Amino acid sequence: MGPGHSAAKTALRDQVLAARKRRPLEAAGGFAASVADAALAWEPVRSAATVAAYVSVGSEPGTGLLLDVLAAAGKRVLLPVVLPGLDLDWAEYTGREGLAPAVRGLLEPTAPRLGREAIAQADVVLVPGTGVSLSGARLGQGGGCYDRALPRVSPGTPVAVVLYDDEVGLAVPAEPHDVRVGFALTSHGVRALLESPDIR
């Protein structure tokens, strides 16, 4: 895929991010509570011992309550730590007091790092995004962190992108390095995306 696809991704990402900034605060708060309920109602999460997730920042769909609910349910929660080359290391979530400001405006865990391969220990992986197509093509933030990390997920492990409902089913341009996802997690539940050979 050439520069045209990158430009199309950038335009779509900008459109989604602008729409997120226009969302009322009460809508964002309602999403955080609903998505936590939706996640725990999903069988792969209910039966999981370890869940890889992330800390939302800015106008991203909120995951703060979700992390606390997962931990309260006895799940081991792994969170990403961005490495200098934009790959991801992982560390355990120990509560909000165990988070610290990091690069790119992120909040990251201060617990001991577990290594890049730790994501393979997860029974379910929840990832950020700005949109997803019905065939699982995920639109990220443009850094490629998860395209580096997701190939380490154990085969057959469900991977879901956390999005607002209107960010599912977008025409996301796909490139060869993009790792597709199998599910979208929204405030209304989990939606299975069309199967593709490289969807996990």
Side-chain angles (χ1 to χ4, degrees):
M1 303 293 177
H5 271 75
S6 296
K9 279 187 173 182
T10 299
L12 181 58
R13 186 181 298 113
D14 289 347
Q15 178 183 332
V16 171
L17 294 179
R20 284 182 175 179
K21 290 178 181 177
R22 293 193 297 268
R23 290 182 188 274
L25 285 177
E26 59 269 21
F31 174 93
S34 297
V35 83
D37 290 341
L40 281 189
W42 190 29
E43 175 54 32
V45 170
R46 280 206 310 270
S47 61
T50 300
V51 178
Y54 66 97
V55 183
S56 60
V57 293
S59 61
E60 286 185 321
T63 64
L65 181 58
L66 171 59
L67 297 178
D68 290 337
V69 167
L70 289 171
K75 313 297 180 185
R76 178 180 181 236
V77 181
L78 302 182
L79 298 178
V81 177
V82 179
L83 297 172
L86 297 184
D87 205 339
L88 297 178
D89 202 332
W90 299 87
E92 289 191 30
Y93 178 58
T94 58
R96 300 190 190 194
E97 68 282 355
L99 300 175
V103 297
R104 301 165 74 93
L106 300 175
L107 288 172
E108 294 181 344
T110 56
R113 296 187 184 184
L114 303 172
R116 292 180 299 173
E117 301 296 331
I119 192 173
Q121 301 169 17
D123 302 302
V124 179
V125 179
L126 306 178
V127 301
T130 53
V132 72
S133 73
L134 294 180
S135 61
R138 171 186 156 272
L139 183 66
Q141 294 283 3
C145 296
Y146 280 89
D147 288 321
R148 295 174 175 86
L150 288 179
R152 302 185 189 110
V153 174
S154 296
T157 300
V159 178
V161 57
V162 182
L163 296 169
Y164 290 112
D165 293 270
D166 57 5
E167 296 168 354
V168 179
L170 303 183
V172 177
E175 299 182 68
H177 66 270
D178 293 334
V179 178
R180 294 177 185 262
V181 298
F183 302 89
L185 170 60
T186 74
S187 60
H188 287 95
V190 177
R191 178 170 181 172
L193 305 171
L194 293 178
E195 288 298 323
S196 177
D198 58 351
I199 289 180
R200 295 178 182 271

